[in-house]
Amino acid sequence: MPVAAPTAEELALLQDEAVRFTRELIRIDTTNFGGNDPATWGRGETEAAQYVVARLQEVGLSPQVIESAPGRPSVLARIPGADRERGGLILHGHLDVVPARAEDWSVDPFGAEIIDGMIHGRGAVDMKDMVGMILALARHLARTGQVPPRDLLFGFFADEENGSVWGAQWIVEHHPEVFDGFTEAISEVGGYSITLPEKDTGEDVRAYLVQTAEKGLAWGRLRATGRAGHGSVPNDENAIVRLARAITAIDEHDFPTEYIASVRALFDGITEITGQGWDEEDIASFLPLAGGARHFVAGTLRDSANLTMLDGGYKVNVIPQTAEAGFDCRFLPGHQDALLALLDELSGEQVEVIVDHLGVSVDSPREGALVDAMTGAIEAEDPGARVLPYCLSAGTDNKPLSSLGISGYGFAPLQLPADLDFAPLFHGVDERVPVEAVRFGARVLLRLVGSC
Ligand SMILES: [Zn+2]
């Protein structure tokens, strides 16, 4: 049973609410500094969750709040579908944002001002825009009594910007039953448009990038152990030196370029539209075609290992027993075991590799009914547009959900101006999103849930 087409008033309200919720949520500062200490971690997530709960209750929904720890709530709301036997669809977003240094911004990062048709503020694209859209969508369905073809679960998670530890990851580990019967999910960092020159006419064509894959991540430490001693005495088991050797070996490692299937599919799709072929040996000249997505795409051509922190010694005349360095590794789908083994090998026997946080990679089917429905919804709202798959260099809450067998996609639809450099807005200064793009996204998502 498809969802009926909305009346003009219903559609106007859906779009207005998506914009209103995006702005009101930006004004709730939900900065996530990492960790779980109330001294460094703001209380904003609770206020944002209460805001979401109130908006859902206003239309008669009964949201469930799951608190992983005091002040770390996530909100879930269900709308039953016509066919309860089918696997359900999760629409989810995170309520937290990364820090914003107000002095770097040209506007108040938590003001949600609209300037030149753009909503400015931390979270405008990551990802209070999508949260606003799905919240407005849930309300539309509840208000109108429309029954979608299959069960929908709306999720508003805590702590995504800290690796989902106290949000989706915690719920997956402690309350997996809330996802019972759900097989697919959509969330952030996909569904936005890039603009390409059409090969025959040279005219602009929008291509919407559906994120079908994500790199995995391993955050951890190298711990070198040696023999402590007096700074005047020769020591050939110095932990700092051992650590330095490991750091150098990792940094000097040349990770080979590898074009995985989702990356190839994107490049082939761009070639089909533009007529411009891509060359494995000279990808740098092709990447600019990926427009606002090119920075993300550039991060999906090989694995990476960056050393990010350093901690060793406590007195200048004491050789310490141990020394540590933090690392941030990102691996392509299927490369997890090989990358961790390589890290061990490069570090050497006297340096232990400790993985503190592992986020699995995601590689969802690039074809199927849901991808067809996403494509159809985009084409209906932007006739002549194309839809292409791509791999994201970063991670989303689809990682923990994937461990339950849920196929996750990045599909927060935004129709973007051709000249908007999109990827750098994520965690960037003067983060902003076009008002019209949020309205567009709300319409696309309504079509999607009615047709999949
Ligand atoms: Zn995000």
Side-chain angles (χ1 to χ4, degrees):
M1 185 183 351
V3 170
T7 66
E9 296 88 76
E10 287 167 355
L11 192 60
L13 183 57
L14 169 76
Q15 298 172 88
D16 290 348
E17 287 200 339
V19 172
R20 188 188 121 206
F21 298 157
T22 300
R23 298 183 72 196
E24 291 181 354
L25 283 162
I26 288 171
R27 293 194 190 112
I28 302 172
D29 177 354
T30 54
T31 301
N32 189 344
F33 290 99
N36 193 37
D37 179 356
T40 57
W41 195 86
R43 287 281 161 192
E45 262 180 6
T46 297
E47 193 185 337
Q50 287 167 346
Y51 176 92
V52 169
V53 165
R55 299 292 81 74
L56 294 169
Q57 286 176 337
E58 276 170 0
V59 292
L61 289 168
S62 305
Q64 174 185 11
V65 177
I66 297 180
E67 215 172 20
S68 57
R72 311 308 303 267
S74 294
V75 181
L76 295 153
R78 283 171 185 74
I79 293 184
D83 183 354
R84 307 298 310 273
E85 300 304 307
R86 281 185 62 197
L89 176 69
I90 304 168
L91 301 95
H92 63 97
H94 59 83
L95 296 173
D96 60 326
V97 295
V98 294
R101 273 167 42 111
E103 57 268 41
D104 297 340
W105 284 52
S106 60
V107 295
D108 175 3
F110 302 102
E113 278 176 75
I114 295 180
I115 304 164
D116 296 334
M118 305 267 241
I119 305 168
H120 285 60
R122 178 55 87 221
V125 295
D126 188 8
M127 58 171 298
K128 287 172 171 171
D129 56 341
M130 176 67 164
V131 172
M133 290 178 213
I134 63 175
L135 184 54
L137 177 61
R139 281 165 61 97
H140 169 83
L141 295 173
R143 223 168 16 224
T144 58
Q146 299 284 336
V147 179
R150 59 170 166 164
D151 285 4
L152 301 178
L153 175 65
F154 292 83
F156 305 88
F157 296 125
D159 207 32
E160 192 275 342
E161 296 293 1
N162 186 41
S164 314
V165 175
W166 298 97
Q169 178 71 41
W170 193 91
I171 299 172
V172 162
E173 284 170 9
H174 296 86
H175 291 285
E177 72 280 357
V178 303
F179 303 113
D180 279 355
F182 289 88
T183 54
E184 293 174 312
I186 61 166
S187 186
E188 60 179 330
V189 210
Y192 58 91
S193 67
I194 62 172
T195 303
L196 297 166
E198 213 272 324
K199 61 185 169 198
D200 299 321
T201 62
E203 282 175 16
D204 283 352
V205 170
R206 269 188 292 275
Y208 290 79
L209 306 189
V210 173
Q211 189 248 100
T212 61
E214 328 183 336
K215 272 176 119 175
L217 61 90
W219 294 338
R221 292 163 286 149
L222 307 176
R223 179 187 286 156
T225 306
R227 178 164 48 86
H230 197 283
S232 71
V233 176
N235 187 327
D236 58 2
E237 297 172 278
N238 186 326
I240 288 180
V241 175
R242 288 174 172 176
L243 181 65
R245 286 199 191 107
I247 288 172
T248 305
I250 292 168
D251 188 63
E252 287 181 346
H253 181 76
D254 225 350
F255 287 97
T257 303
E258 182 176 328
Y259 297 97
I260 60 169
S262 51
V263 170
R264 288 180 176 276
L266 171 67
F267 290 172
D268 289 344
I270 291 176
T271 293
E272 198 187 311
I273 294 168
T274 63
Q276 299 190 39
W278 62 282
D279 178 357
E280 289 193 9
E281 303 305 318
D282 177 28
I283 207 64
S285 65
F286 184 80
L287 272 185
L289 279 174
R294 68 190 183 283
H295 300 286
F296 287 141
V297 177
T300 59
L301 304 181
R302 60 186 66 82
D303 298 333
S304 66
N306 283 314
L307 281 309
T308 51
M309 296 172 82
L310 202 52
D311 180 18
Y314 43 91
K315 180 80 167 66
V316 74
N317 59 351
V318 178
I319 297 168
Q321 180 106 359
T322 61
E324 290 193 356
F327 63 80
D328 178 350
C329 285
R330 308 292 176 126
F331 51 88
L332 294 166
H335 287 199
Q336 179 180 316
D337 293 346
L339 180 71
L340 294 179
L342 176 70
L343 215 55
D344 264 332
E345 185 193 319
L346 293 171
S347 298
E349 277 174 14
Q350 283 120 0
V351 177
E352 188 187 357
V353 177
I354 302 162
V355 176
D356 292 312
H357 179 76
L358 188 71
V360 297
S361 55
V362 174
D363 203 2
S364 297
R366 287 183 298 285
E367 288 169 1
L370 180 59
V371 174
D372 290 346
M374 290 190 274
T375 304
I378 289 285
E379 287 172 348
E381 288 297 332
D382 190 356
R386 306 287 293 274
V387 174
L388 302 175
Y390 92 112
C391 177
L392 176 67
S393 54
T396 75
D397 279 332
N398 279 326
K399 287 187 188 315
L401 294 181
S402 77
S403 65
L404 298 175
I406 295 166
S407 296
Y409 296 88
F411 192 67
L414 295 173
Q415 185 183 96
L416 298 175
D419 59 353
L420 184 67
D421 200 3
F422 188 61
L425 296 177
F426 284 74
H427 301 191
V429 168
D430 287 343
E431 183 178 346
R432 60 201 182 277
V433 68
V435 172
E436 284 308 317
V438 175
R439 298 176 69 86
F440 171 86
R443 298 195 302 271
V444 171
L445 291 176
L446 175 59
R447 286 187 187 272
L448 176 69
V449 298
S451 63
C452 74

mmCIF file with all atom_site columns, all heavy atoms in Angstrom, residues 94 96 125-127 160-161 188-189 395-396 426-427, ligand 1:
data_model
loop_
_atom_site.group_PDB
_atom_site.id
_atom_site.type_symbol
_atom_site.label_atom_id
_atom_site.label_alt_id
_atom_site.label_comp_id
_atom_site.label_asym_id
_atom_site.label_entity_id
_atom_site.label_seq_id
_atom_site.pdbx_PDB_ins_code
_atom_site.Cartn_x
_atom_site.Cartn_y
_atom_site.Cartn_z
_atom_site.occupancy
_atom_site.B_iso_or_equiv
_atom_site.pdbx_formal_charge
_atom_site.auth_seq_id
_atom_site.auth_comp_id
_atom_site.auth_asym_id
_atom_site.auth_atom_id
_atom_site.pdbx_PDB_model_num
ATOM   1   N  N   . HIS A 1 94  ? 22.353 11.394 14.086 1.00 0.00 ? 94  HIS A N   1
ATOM   2   C  CA  . HIS A 1 94  ? 22.925 11.612 15.420 1.00 0.00 ? 94  HIS A CA  1
ATOM   3   C  C   . HIS A 1 94  ? 22.658 13.035 15.871 1.00 0.00 ? 94  HIS A C   1
ATOM   4   O  O   . HIS A 1 94  ? 22.603 13.961 15.054 1.00 0.00 ? 94  HIS A O   1
ATOM   5   C  CB  . HIS A 1 94  ? 24.421 11.273 15.454 1.00 0.00 ? 94  HIS A CB  1
ATOM   6   C  CG  . HIS A 1 94  ? 25.291 12.046 14.512 1.00 0.00 ? 94  HIS A CG  1
ATOM   7   N  ND1 . HIS A 1 94  ? 25.763 13.302 14.813 1.00 0.00 ? 94  HIS A ND1 1
ATOM   8   C  CD2 . HIS A 1 94  ? 25.788 11.739 13.288 1.00 0.00 ? 94  HIS A CD2 1
ATOM   9   C  CE1 . HIS A 1 94  ? 26.519 13.729 13.801 1.00 0.00 ? 94  HIS A CE1 1
ATOM   10  N  NE2 . HIS A 1 94  ? 26.545 12.812 12.858 1.00 0.00 ? 94  HIS A NE2 1
ATOM   11  N  N   . ASP A 1 96  ? 24.517 14.677 18.285 1.00 0.00 ? 96  ASP A N   1
ATOM   12  C  CA  . ASP A 1 96  ? 25.713 15.408 18.704 1.00 0.00 ? 96  ASP A CA  1
ATOM   13  C  C   . ASP A 1 96  ? 26.406 16.043 17.505 1.00 0.00 ? 96  ASP A C   1
ATOM   14  O  O   . ASP A 1 96  ? 26.147 15.686 16.357 1.00 0.00 ? 96  ASP A O   1
ATOM   15  C  CB  . ASP A 1 96  ? 26.680 14.475 19.467 1.00 0.00 ? 96  ASP A CB  1
ATOM   16  C  CG  . ASP A 1 96  ? 27.151 13.295 18.619 1.00 0.00 ? 96  ASP A CG  1
ATOM   17  O  OD1 . ASP A 1 96  ? 26.375 12.794 17.775 1.00 0.00 ? 96  ASP A OD1 1
ATOM   18  O  OD2 . ASP A 1 96  ? 28.314 12.863 18.781 1.00 0.00 ? 96  ASP A OD2 1
ATOM   19  N  N   . VAL A 1 125 ? 25.089 20.361 8.108  1.00 0.00 ? 125 VAL A N   1
ATOM   20  C  CA  . VAL A 1 125 ? 25.131 19.183 7.239  1.00 0.00 ? 125 VAL A CA  1
ATOM   21  C  C   . VAL A 1 125 ? 25.501 17.911 8.005  1.00 0.00 ? 125 VAL A C   1
ATOM   22  O  O   . VAL A 1 125 ? 25.346 16.805 7.473  1.00 0.00 ? 125 VAL A O   1
ATOM   23  C  CB  . VAL A 1 125 ? 26.122 19.365 6.054  1.00 0.00 ? 125 VAL A CB  1
ATOM   24  C  CG1 . VAL A 1 125 ? 25.625 20.477 5.133  1.00 0.00 ? 125 VAL A CG1 1
ATOM   25  C  CG2 . VAL A 1 125 ? 27.542 19.629 6.518  1.00 0.00 ? 125 VAL A CG2 1
ATOM   26  N  N   . ASP A 1 126 ? 25.978 18.060 9.230  1.00 0.00 ? 126 ASP A N   1
ATOM   27  C  CA  . ASP A 1 126 ? 26.441 16.890 9.998  1.00 0.00 ? 126 ASP A CA  1
ATOM   28  C  C   . ASP A 1 126 ? 25.929 16.987 11.421 1.00 0.00 ? 126 ASP A C   1
ATOM   29  O  O   . ASP A 1 126 ? 26.666 17.340 12.318 1.00 0.00 ? 126 ASP A O   1
ATOM   30  C  CB  . ASP A 1 126 ? 27.971 16.830 9.956  1.00 0.00 ? 126 ASP A CB  1
ATOM   31  C  CG  . ASP A 1 126 ? 28.529 15.551 10.561 1.00 0.00 ? 126 ASP A CG  1
ATOM   32  O  OD1 . ASP A 1 126 ? 27.735 14.642 10.878 1.00 0.00 ? 126 ASP A OD1 1
ATOM   33  O  OD2 . ASP A 1 126 ? 29.747 15.464 10.739 1.00 0.00 ? 126 ASP A OD2 1
ATOM   34  N  N   . MET A 1 127 ? 24.655 16.533 11.645 1.00 0.00 ? 127 MET A N   1
ATOM   35  C  CA  . MET A 1 127 ? 23.714 16.196 10.601 1.00 0.00 ? 127 MET A CA  1
ATOM   36  C  C   . MET A 1 127 ? 22.306 16.551 11.040 1.00 0.00 ? 127 MET A C   1
ATOM   37  O  O   . MET A 1 127 ? 21.369 15.784 10.923 1.00 0.00 ? 127 MET A O   1
ATOM   38  C  CB  . MET A 1 127 ? 23.817 14.693 10.228 1.00 0.00 ? 127 MET A CB  1
ATOM   39  C  CG  . MET A 1 127 ? 23.570 13.746 11.401 1.00 0.00 ? 127 MET A CG  1
ATOM   40  S  SD  . MET A 1 127 ? 23.437 11.997 10.906 1.00 0.00 ? 127 MET A SD  1
ATOM   41  C  CE  . MET A 1 127 ? 22.031 11.922 9.848  1.00 0.00 ? 127 MET A CE  1
ATOM   42  N  N   . GLU A 1 160 ? 27.676 9.895  18.129 1.00 0.00 ? 160 GLU A N   1
ATOM   43  C  CA  . GLU A 1 160 ? 28.271 9.394  16.871 1.00 0.00 ? 160 GLU A CA  1
ATOM   44  C  C   . GLU A 1 160 ? 29.654 9.984  16.649 1.00 0.00 ? 160 GLU A C   1
ATOM   45  O  O   . GLU A 1 160 ? 30.553 9.317  16.119 1.00 0.00 ? 160 GLU A O   1
ATOM   46  C  CB  . GLU A 1 160 ? 27.351 9.726  15.687 1.00 0.00 ? 160 GLU A CB  1
ATOM   47  C  CG  . GLU A 1 160 ? 27.719 9.007  14.398 1.00 0.00 ? 160 GLU A CG  1
ATOM   48  C  CD  . GLU A 1 160 ? 28.793 9.701  13.569 1.00 0.00 ? 160 GLU A CD  1
ATOM   49  O  OE1 . GLU A 1 160 ? 29.043 10.902 13.789 1.00 0.00 ? 160 GLU A OE1 1
ATOM   50  O  OE2 . GLU A 1 160 ? 29.392 9.050  12.704 1.00 0.00 ? 160 GLU A OE2 1
ATOM   51  N  N   . GLU A 1 161 ? 29.834 11.233 17.053 1.00 0.00 ? 161 GLU A N   1
ATOM   52  C  CA  . GLU A 1 161 ? 31.107 11.906 16.772 1.00 0.00 ? 161 GLU A CA  1
ATOM   53  C  C   . GLU A 1 161 ? 32.240 11.397 17.660 1.00 0.00 ? 161 GLU A C   1
ATOM   54  O  O   . GLU A 1 161 ? 33.371 11.864 17.569 1.00 0.00 ? 161 GLU A O   1
ATOM   55  C  CB  . GLU A 1 161 ? 30.946 13.427 16.910 1.00 0.00 ? 161 GLU A CB  1
ATOM   56  C  CG  . GLU A 1 161 ? 29.983 14.053 15.893 1.00 0.00 ? 161 GLU A CG  1
ATOM   57  C  CD  . GLU A 1 161 ? 30.488 13.983 14.449 1.00 0.00 ? 161 GLU A CD  1
ATOM   58  O  OE1 . GLU A 1 161 ? 31.577 13.426 14.218 1.00 0.00 ? 161 GLU A OE1 1
ATOM   59  O  OE2 . GLU A 1 161 ? 29.769 14.480 13.560 1.00 0.00 ? 161 GLU A OE2 1
ATOM   60  N  N   . GLU A 1 188 ? 23.434 9.478  7.102  1.00 0.00 ? 188 GLU A N   1
ATOM   61  C  CA  . GLU A 1 188 ? 24.132 10.656 6.581  1.00 0.00 ? 188 GLU A CA  1
ATOM   62  C  C   . GLU A 1 188 ? 25.206 10.361 5.526  1.00 0.00 ? 188 GLU A C   1
ATOM   63  O  O   . GLU A 1 188 ? 25.546 9.228  5.250  1.00 0.00 ? 188 GLU A O   1
ATOM   64  C  CB  . GLU A 1 188 ? 24.810 11.386 7.751  1.00 0.00 ? 188 GLU A CB  1
ATOM   65  C  CG  . GLU A 1 188 ? 25.823 10.493 8.452  1.00 0.00 ? 188 GLU A CG  1
ATOM   66  C  CD  . GLU A 1 188 ? 26.538 11.193 9.590  1.00 0.00 ? 188 GLU A CD  1
ATOM   67  O  OE1 . GLU A 1 188 ? 26.716 12.416 9.543  1.00 0.00 ? 188 GLU A OE1 1
ATOM   68  O  OE2 . GLU A 1 188 ? 26.939 10.492 10.538 1.00 0.00 ? 188 GLU A OE2 1
ATOM   69  N  N   . VAL A 1 189 ? 25.712 11.429 4.989  1.00 0.00 ? 189 VAL A N   1
ATOM   70  C  CA  . VAL A 1 189 ? 26.838 11.533 4.063  1.00 0.00 ? 189 VAL A CA  1
ATOM   71  C  C   . VAL A 1 189 ? 26.632 10.738 2.771  1.00 0.00 ? 189 VAL A C   1
ATOM   72  O  O   . VAL A 1 189 ? 27.473 9.966  2.342  1.00 0.00 ? 189 VAL A O   1
ATOM   73  C  CB  . VAL A 1 189 ? 28.193 11.188 4.721  1.00 0.00 ? 189 VAL A CB  1
ATOM   74  C  CG1 . VAL A 1 189 ? 29.296 12.005 4.017  1.00 0.00 ? 189 VAL A CG1 1
ATOM   75  C  CG2 . VAL A 1 189 ? 28.225 11.508 6.198  1.00 0.00 ? 189 VAL A CG2 1
ATOM   76  N  N   . GLY A 1 395 ? 33.263 7.498  8.822  1.00 0.00 ? 395 GLY A N   1
ATOM   77  C  CA  . GLY A 1 395 ? 32.335 6.501  9.347  1.00 0.00 ? 395 GLY A CA  1
ATOM   78  C  C   . GLY A 1 395 ? 31.028 7.127  9.799  1.00 0.00 ? 395 GLY A C   1
ATOM   79  O  O   . GLY A 1 395 ? 30.945 8.328  10.021 1.00 0.00 ? 395 GLY A O   1
ATOM   80  N  N   . THR A 1 396 ? 29.994 6.298  9.908  1.00 0.00 ? 396 THR A N   1
ATOM   81  C  CA  . THR A 1 396 ? 28.692 6.749  10.405 1.00 0.00 ? 396 THR A CA  1
ATOM   82  C  C   . THR A 1 396 ? 28.130 5.673  11.344 1.00 0.00 ? 396 THR A C   1
ATOM   83  O  O   . THR A 1 396 ? 28.718 4.609  11.519 1.00 0.00 ? 396 THR A O   1
ATOM   84  C  CB  . THR A 1 396 ? 27.674 6.955  9.253  1.00 0.00 ? 396 THR A CB  1
ATOM   85  O  OG1 . THR A 1 396 ? 27.229 5.663  8.802  1.00 0.00 ? 396 THR A OG1 1
ATOM   86  C  CG2 . THR A 1 396 ? 28.292 7.723  8.085  1.00 0.00 ? 396 THR A CG2 1
ATOM   87  N  N   . PHE A 1 426 ? 31.860 19.503 6.347  1.00 0.00 ? 426 PHE A N   1
ATOM   88  C  CA  . PHE A 1 426 ? 31.765 18.554 7.455  1.00 0.00 ? 426 PHE A CA  1
ATOM   89  C  C   . PHE A 1 426 ? 32.896 18.818 8.449  1.00 0.00 ? 426 PHE A C   1
ATOM   90  O  O   . PHE A 1 426 ? 34.065 18.767 8.085  1.00 0.00 ? 426 PHE A O   1
ATOM   91  C  CB  . PHE A 1 426 ? 31.842 17.111 6.936  1.00 0.00 ? 426 PHE A CB  1
ATOM   92  C  CG  . PHE A 1 426 ? 30.560 16.665 6.289  1.00 0.00 ? 426 PHE A CG  1
ATOM   93  C  CD1 . PHE A 1 426 ? 30.199 17.134 5.038  1.00 0.00 ? 426 PHE A CD1 1
ATOM   94  C  CD2 . PHE A 1 426 ? 29.695 15.810 6.955  1.00 0.00 ? 426 PHE A CD2 1
ATOM   95  C  CE1 . PHE A 1 426 ? 28.998 16.745 4.448  1.00 0.00 ? 426 PHE A CE1 1
ATOM   96  C  CE2 . PHE A 1 426 ? 28.501 15.413 6.373  1.00 0.00 ? 426 PHE A CE2 1
ATOM   97  C  CZ  . PHE A 1 426 ? 28.148 15.885 5.115  1.00 0.00 ? 426 PHE A CZ  1
ATOM   98  N  N   . HIS A 1 427 ? 32.522 19.140 9.670  1.00 0.00 ? 427 HIS A N   1
ATOM   99  C  CA  . HIS A 1 427 ? 33.481 19.478 10.735 1.00 0.00 ? 427 HIS A CA  1
ATOM   100 C  C   . HIS A 1 427 ? 34.229 20.775 10.395 1.00 0.00 ? 427 HIS A C   1
ATOM   101 O  O   . HIS A 1 427 ? 35.234 21.087 11.026 1.00 0.00 ? 427 HIS A O   1
ATOM   102 C  CB  . HIS A 1 427 ? 34.486 18.347 10.998 1.00 0.00 ? 427 HIS A CB  1
ATOM   103 C  CG  . HIS A 1 427 ? 33.837 17.054 11.407 1.00 0.00 ? 427 HIS A CG  1
ATOM   104 N  ND1 . HIS A 1 427 ? 34.552 15.985 11.903 1.00 0.00 ? 427 HIS A ND1 1
ATOM   105 C  CD2 . HIS A 1 427 ? 32.546 16.653 11.398 1.00 0.00 ? 427 HIS A CD2 1
ATOM   106 C  CE1 . HIS A 1 427 ? 33.717 14.987 12.165 1.00 0.00 ? 427 HIS A CE1 1
ATOM   107 N  NE2 . HIS A 1 427 ? 32.499 15.369 11.858 1.00 0.00 ? 427 HIS A NE2 1
HETATM 108 ZN ZN  . ZN  B 2 .   ? 27.791 12.907 11.174 1.00 0.00 ? 1   ZN  B ZN  1
#
